[in-house]
Amino acid sequence: MSNADSISVPLLAKKENVVPISPKIAELAESRQELMNRIQTLKQDLQNWRMKMDTQVKVYRTELSELKNSLNSEVEQLRSEFQELRSTLQQQQEDVTTSLKNLGLQDVSGEAKEGTRNVGNSDDTAQDASKDDNGKETHG
């Protein structure tokens, strides 16, 4: 055998073990395309999800803003009603005080309290006077 023949035999053996490249490239290209399609679908899903979330956030913000305004309005109404009630109660208190002054009962009630204390004290003094130095009662 010649040198040329001995070289061609190993090349032929190598060529038999080698898988043709074009089917592998086609398979890889197809796999790549499938992956790109999946990525595009996932991107669209993510974008749709974001839009839904943004819409929900806007709706919730609007609802919260309406609730806040409603609550603020109710609080202001309650404040106003309490202020009116306070004014009415103060006016009624002033009216009662004026009526009592006009009837002379306020001064009398103040004097009555003083008189009650004095009467109580004078009773104690009278009882003390009826006792002798040893604390025994004397009848006299």
Side-chain angles (χ1 to χ4, degrees):
M1 259 202 209
S2 72
N3 255 349
D5 289 339
S6 64
I7 291 176
S8 63
V9 171
L11 286 177
L12 287 176
K14 286 182 183 179
K15 283 183 183 179
E16 290 174 3
N17 290 335
V18 175
V19 178
I21 293 177
S22 58
K24 278 290 185 187
I25 290 176
E27 185 180 329
L28 288 174
E30 185 180 333
S31 176
R32 180 178 178 265
Q33 189 59 40
E34 286 177 13
L35 288 173
M36 293 299 287
N37 289 340
R38 286 181 65 191
I39 289 172
Q40 285 299 324
T41 302
L42 290 172
K43 281 182 178 180
Q44 288 175 349
D45 289 348
L46 179 61
Q47 190 175 16
N48 290 337
W49 179 80
R50 281 183 178 167
M51 287 188 331
K52 286 179 183 177
M53 292 305 295
D54 287 344
T55 302
Q56 278 186 324
V57 167
K58 286 177 185 176
V59 167
Y60 290 150
R61 281 187 177 159
T62 302
E63 287 178 1
L64 283 173
S65 177
E66 290 171 359
L67 285 172
K68 180 181 175 184
N69 290 337
S70 174
L71 284 173
N72 284 340
S73 174
E74 289 181 28
V75 165
E76 278 303 314
Q77 184 178 356
L78 286 172
R79 281 184 181 151
S80 174
E81 289 174 6
F82 276 121
Q83 185 61 38
E84 289 176 23
L85 183 60
R86 181 182 293 138
S87 296
T88 302
L89 288 174
Q90 285 175 345
Q91 185 61 45
Q92 287 177 351
Q93 184 179 9
E94 289 172 8
D95 291 346
V96 167
T97 302
T98 302
S99 296
L100 288 175
K101 280 182 181 179
N102 289 340
L103 293 173
L105 293 177
Q106 187 176 21
D107 292 335
V108 172
S109 65
E111 290 174 6
K113 288 180 185 176
E114 287 291 322
T116 304
R117 280 191 225 136
N118 290 338
V119 169
N121 289 338
S122 64
D123 287 345
D124 290 341
T125 307
Q127 286 178 353
D128 288 343
S130 65
K131 293 182 182 178
D132 66 6
D133 292 336
N134 295 329
K136 294 182 181 178
E137 287 189 26
T138 58
H139 299 284

